[in-house]
Amino acid sequence: MSICNKKTLLCLAVSGSLFSVSYVANANDHHDHNHHDGEHHESEHRHHDAHVHGVVETNIAQDGDHLLFEITAPGADVVGFEHAPKDDAQKQVLANAVKTLNNPNLIFTLPENAKCTFEEAHVSHNLVNHNDHDEHEHEHDHDHDHDHDHDHHDGEHHKGHGKHGEFSAQYEYHCEAISNLDQIETQWFTHFPHTHKMTIQYLGDAGQKAASLTPKSSIITL
């Protein structure tokens, strides 16, 4: 069950205050739906910053004694590819990544005196096989003889339709002494070294704050 189904008010606050850029980006993705891969990749940097390779977007919301994280990460940052796994090795890489993402204690460190207890994680991704849908569209423009080549380039064709390989992770904590939450440290870069920057947007009782974390500067002060 998605965390947002349980914490509707908190999620509405996060969505309204922090995620509007994502909604605009999604609209632009639809606008660029029929562009070639190269053109779409360029537009991606202009309109969909959350999916720039090497950049992960994290939104954090605090409401009372609840703390909610939401991460959006390009597939390339997490597993090194943005398509459905093509062999056993890639399947294992994907399984390991999902396992890591489902353990937020590996991703974030919160101050002990804030007495935060992890309650729930919700991890999802779209690195799944869409051959059935893509092949149907593909047949309108190409001969059946090219089906195998299309399958081989399914990831590129899929991205060409504005649907990037992405991971989403939501974490919920209950903090008995939330007033002591004065910083958050991430170990994301240790587990997913393809990431060069993590953008943080925080919304809490003290207001809003934005920061960019890097492997050499991985702590946000609240």
Side-chain angles (χ1 to χ4, degrees), residues 153-195:
H153 295 287
D154 179 67
E156 289 77 10
H157 180 75
H158 190 55
K159 287 192 293 181
H161 282 70
K163 297 179 181 178
H164 303 281
E166 284 188 340
F167 284 78
S168 175
Q170 293 181 325
Y171 306 134
E172 181 188 349
Y173 292 84
H174 174 264
C175 301
E176 295 182 13
I178 194 73
S179 61
N180 292 326
L181 184 72
D182 56 0
Q183 69 173 37
I184 298 173
E185 181 177 4
T186 184
Q187 289 77 44
W188 177 276
F189 303 102
T190 299
H191 299 288
F192 306 113
H194 291 295
T195 301

Side-chain angles (χ1 to χ4, degrees), residues 4-80:
C4 281
N5 290 336
K6 296 180 61 181
K7 300 296 179 183
T8 304
L9 293 178
L10 177 57
C11 289
L12 286 174
V14 175
S15 298
S17 300
L18 300 177
F19 294 168
S20 58
V21 173
S22 296
Y23 297 146
V24 172
N26 288 336
N28 282 310
D29 275 347
H30 287 294
H31 176 72
D32 293 336
H33 183 74
N34 294 319
H35 285 195
H36 295 295
D37 288 351
E39 294 173 350
H40 184 80
H41 183 70
E42 181 180 353
S43 69
E44 158 188 312
H45 284 265
R46 294 195 305 267
H47 301 306
H48 197 178
D49 290 341
H51 196 89
V52 176
H53 291 180
V55 179
V56 168
E57 182 182 85
T58 299
N59 298 297
I60 307 171
Q62 176 257 321
D63 181 29
D65 54 5
H66 290 281
L67 192 65
L68 180 70
F69 291 73
E70 179 159 297
I71 303 172
T72 303
D77 280 42
V78 178
V79 293

Side-chain angles (χ1 to χ4, degrees), residues 98-203:
V98 170
K99 182 178 180 179
T100 298
L101 289 172
N102 269 299
N103 187 349
N105 292 329
L106 297 176
I107 307 297
F108 295 106
T109 299
L110 308 178
E112 290 187 8
N113 60 354
K115 298 181 180 179
C116 296
T117 303
F118 165 65
E119 293 194 340
E120 186 177 353
H122 179 74
V123 176
S124 62
H125 64 83
N126 61 357
L127 275 64
V128 294
N129 201 322
H130 294 275
N131 283 347
D132 292 341
H133 173 70
D134 287 345
E135 283 178 4
H136 176 73
E137 294 182 349
H138 179 75
E139 289 168 4
H140 287 288
D141 302 314
H142 301 281
D143 295 331
H144 291 281
D145 291 339
H146 294 285
D147 284 348
H148 176 74
D149 181 68
H150 170 77
D151 290 345
H152 180 71
H153 295 287
D154 179 67
E156 289 77 10
H157 180 75
H158 190 55
K159 287 192 293 181
H161 282 70
K163 297 179 181 178
H164 303 281
E166 284 188 340
F167 284 78
S168 175
Q170 293 181 325
Y171 306 134
E172 181 188 349
Y173 292 84
H174 174 264
C175 301
E176 295 182 13
I178 194 73
S179 61
N180 292 326
L181 184 72
D182 56 0
Q183 69 173 37
I184 298 173
E185 181 177 4
T186 184
Q187 289 77 44
W188 177 276
F189 303 102
T190 299
H191 299 288
F192 306 113
H194 291 295
T195 301
H196 304 300
K197 181 173 69 174
M198 174 182 280
T199 62
I200 303 283
Q201 293 188 79
Y202 172 83
L203 174 66

